[in-house]
Amino acid sequence: MNIIKIEEKLDSGVNIIFYDKDIYPLFNKLNEEYRCIYFNEPVPVKMRLIELIEKVSRNKRLSHRRLTISELREIFVRELAYERIIIMFNHFERLTKRSVEFYQFINSLQNVTFICSFKKNFKPEVYPFFKTFHLVNQDEYHQKNGKDEINVTYTMYLILSCLCFIIYLKTATSLFMAFLLIGAAWFALIIFRTFIYVGGRV
């Protein structure tokens, strides 16, 4: 995606994310026309929030290091006012549950837009935030991660669950048939859910 198309996305308020790209060169280009701030990584949240406040604040002499994140967040919202800022950072995959809550709050502000990049898979709790982004180089991501291949994980889970169901039937022949079937189905369902939990997000 060239710089013109990126600017079109930004002007429409769309968050942008790249796979396996350093966005610092893009920051250098956009910083000439937009108010941008760049972080090499999004954490720790408190330090990033202080940097954001210093970027938008009109009072450069205030010290914010002793304030809580909640207090800093209120200051940032107040200082940002009607200004617009583009927040840019690499290593999206380093977001944690706590930090993503903060960034989702910031994302709810109409005058904030994000440009990010990631190199690795991220935690499931980060995915709702990720869905607010337009992945620029989708083809490259699919090519390197094989996302277009058929995923047979759930099929394997189902087969293994059915196998456990059969084993349970064979080892529990002394029970009445009705209780046997109910118990076996319940057991297989637990096995299936356990595989999903251990296997994680597909």
Side-chain angles (χ1 to χ4, degrees):
M1 180 178 284
N2 60 37
I3 192 69
I4 296 175
K5 290 185 178 180
I6 290 174
E7 289 179 346
E8 287 176 357
K9 290 286 185 184
L10 292 175
D11 291 338
S12 61
V14 176
N15 293 331
I16 296 172
I17 194 164
F18 292 86
Y19 171 68
D20 199 19
K21 300 288 183 186
D22 180 9
I23 60 171
Y24 186 74
L26 182 60
F27 165 74
N28 286 330
K29 293 179 181 178
L30 293 175
N31 200 36
E32 297 175 3
E33 296 186 31
Y34 299 88
R35 174 174 285 190
C36 303
I37 187 166
Y38 169 82
F39 311 129
N40 188 48
E41 59 181 273
V43 290
V45 165
K46 186 171 182 178
M47 292 305 299
R48 301 291 89 86
L49 188 47
I50 290 172
E51 291 175 55
L52 282 168
I53 292 171
E54 290 174 350
K55 180 71 177 182
V56 299
S57 178
R58 289 171 290 277
N59 190 344
K60 305 296 183 183
R61 295 182 179 180
L62 290 178
S63 176
H64 302 100
R65 297 186 182 275
R66 294 184 179 180
L67 300 177
T68 65
I69 290 179
S70 296
E71 292 170 330
L72 289 169
R73 195 168 70 172
E74 290 178 10
I75 293 172
F76 174 68
V77 173
R78 185 173 64 247
E79 291 289 341
L80 187 61
Y82 300 103
E83 297 289 337
R84 185 185 176 200
I85 189 168
I86 298 172
I87 301 173
M88 307 177 69
F89 58 79
N90 290 315
H91 303 294
F92 187 89
E93 70 276 2
R94 294 183 185 174
L95 285 171
T96 61
K97 182 178 180 180
R98 184 179 177 186
S99 62
V100 81
E101 288 174 355
F102 162 71
Y103 284 108
Q104 283 181 304
F105 167 77
I106 297 297
N107 190 45
S108 68
L109 304 174
Q110 292 184 350
N111 45 352
V112 175
T113 310
F114 287 89
I115 299 179
C116 304
S117 73
F118 69 103
K119 291 185 177 181
K120 302 176 183 177
N121 292 332
F122 36 81
K123 297 177 181 178
E125 54 264 31
V126 180
Y127 189 68
F129 183 44
F130 173 78
K131 289 199 298 184
T132 67
F133 286 77
H134 170 75
L135 178 57
V136 175
N137 50 343
Q138 283 191 31
D139 293 340
E140 184 179 344
Y141 173 70
H142 292 324
Q143 185 177 7
K144 288 187 178 180
N145 292 276
K147 295 299 181 180
D148 291 332
E149 297 176 2
I150 298 173
N151 194 313
V152 295
T153 306
Y154 282 145
T155 305
M156 290 299 299
Y157 290 167
L158 186 59
I159 291 171
L160 289 171
S161 298
C162 291
L163 183 62
C164 292
F165 178 82
I166 294 169
I167 292 171
Y168 186 90
L169 283 177
K170 288 188 176 292
T171 57
T173 54
S174 61
L175 296 174
F176 292 107
M177 186 57 69
F179 291 111
L180 188 66
L181 291 173
I182 293 171
W186 174 81
F187 179 70
L189 179 61
I190 288 177
I191 295 296
F192 181 70
R193 288 175 60 86
T194 301
F195 283 138
I196 293 175
Y197 177 78
V198 172
R201 182 181 296 276
V202 177

